[in-house]
């Protein structure tokens, strides 16, 4: 973990009553903030952020890029920087934590492709996460022109029904994405 002044990392690691948003935060935007606020209202838990240097779908962050991401995040929320690319690894670091994820991440969470094509490995991973006392709050996202929610997913049989809980659209909906924000900033800067 990296602690750039203060005790942000310890605040996240020691708090089992926290709701944690994992992401690349490139950049942290209003959608992230609104999602954390909704998760806090729903769960009664304090919000925090987790930035992983390694990610299942992206290249590892270099030191310079990591610093560029971390510096703007300091002070707003407790922050932990990890090398935990999967939620199984995150649940080992943060037992009892509730993770806040979007529909797109929840879909990947229950896809065997993300477990080397093994449905059994997926079920074992979800069971380990549940046994660690972790849960997921799942926010809807627009995908292919349609707002999709936890109800659109087919969940594996035998998984703890409390493992995933929907964030109602009435509590949170923000269709902004970091990619769109970066593209808009690039077009403005390029003008």
């Amino acid at each position: 973990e990296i602690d750039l002044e203060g005790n942000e990392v310890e605040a996240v690691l020691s708090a089992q009553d926290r709701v944690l948003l994992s992401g690349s935060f490139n950049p942290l935007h209003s959608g992230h903030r609104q999602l954390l606020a909704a998760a806090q209202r729903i769960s009664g838990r304090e919000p925090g952020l987790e930035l992983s240097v390694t990610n299942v779908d992206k290249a590892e962050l270099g030191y310079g890029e990591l610093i560029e991401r971390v510096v703007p995040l300091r002070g707003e929320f407790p922050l932990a920087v990890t090398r935990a690319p999967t939620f199984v690894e995150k649940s080992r670091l943060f037992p009892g934590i509730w993770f806040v994820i979007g529909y797109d991440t929840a879909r990947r969470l229950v896809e065997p492709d993300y477990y080397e094509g093994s449905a059994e490995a997926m079920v074992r991973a979800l069971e380990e996460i549940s046994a660690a006392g972790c849960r997921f709050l799942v926010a809807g996202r627009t995908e292919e022109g349609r707002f999709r929610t936890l109800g659109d997913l087919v969940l594996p049989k035998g998984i703890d029904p409390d493992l995933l809980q929907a964030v109602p659209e009435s509590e949170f909906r923000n269709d902004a994405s970091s990619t769109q924000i970066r593209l808009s900033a690039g077009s403005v800067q390029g003008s």
Side-chain angles (χ1 to χ4, degrees):
E1 297 102 24
I2 295 176
D3 186 4
L4 303 173
E5 286 183 29
N7 58 5
E8 296 173 339
V9 172
E10 290 80 9
V12 173
L13 292 175
S14 65
Q16 289 193 348
D17 61 342
R18 192 163 296 282
V19 64
L20 193 64
L21 178 60
S22 299
S24 59
F25 309 113
N26 185 21
L28 179 70
H29 56 74
S30 64
H32 295 126
R33 291 177 182 96
Q34 291 169 9
L35 178 54
L36 279 170
Q40 184 176 15
R41 284 190 305 272
I42 291 167
S43 69
R45 293 167 164 247
E46 291 298 314
L49 301 174
E50 183 258 348
L51 171 66
S52 182
V53 174
T54 56
N55 187 298
V56 173
D57 294 320
K58 300 174 186 170
E60 183 170 316
L61 294 177
Y63 184 75
E65 190 174 8
L66 175 62
I67 296 304
E68 287 176 11
R69 303 255 182 110
V70 167
V71 169
L73 300 175
R74 288 181 38 219
E76 190 167 353
F77 298 101
L79 169 69
V81 177
T82 72
R83 287 190 171 277
T86 68
F87 282 102
V88 169
E89 292 165 290
K90 294 175 197 313
S91 71
R92 292 172 188 155
L93 289 174
F94 309 111
I97 290 283
W98 289 15
F99 297 104
V100 185
I101 61 176
Y103 167 83
D104 54 331
T105 301
R107 182 175 34 80
R108 290 191 300 271
L109 187 68
V110 297
E111 282 182 0
D113 290 349
Y114 280 84
Y115 304 87
E116 299 179 0
S118 170
E120 294 81 17
M122 174 196 60
V123 169
R124 281 193 308 273
L126 295 175
E127 287 172 346
E128 182 177 339
I129 293 167
S130 180
C134 298
R135 293 176 62 180
F136 295 93
L137 294 176
V138 181
R141 283 201 61 154
T142 299
E143 193 174 83
E144 299 172 357
R146 185 170 158 240
F147 189 71
R148 298 182 188 271
T149 67
L150 180 59
D152 293 309
L153 291 176
V154 176
L155 301 178
K157 291 188 185 332
I159 295 302
D160 177 359
D162 294 327
L163 183 61
L164 295 113
Q165 175 184 339
V167 173
E169 185 177 0
S170 61
E171 283 289 328
F172 172 78
R173 178 165 180 177
N174 184 317
D175 293 334
S177 77
S178 296
T179 302
Q180 292 169 331
I181 290 169
R182 284 192 306 275
L183 290 173
S184 293
S187 65
V188 170
Q189 291 172 354
S191 299

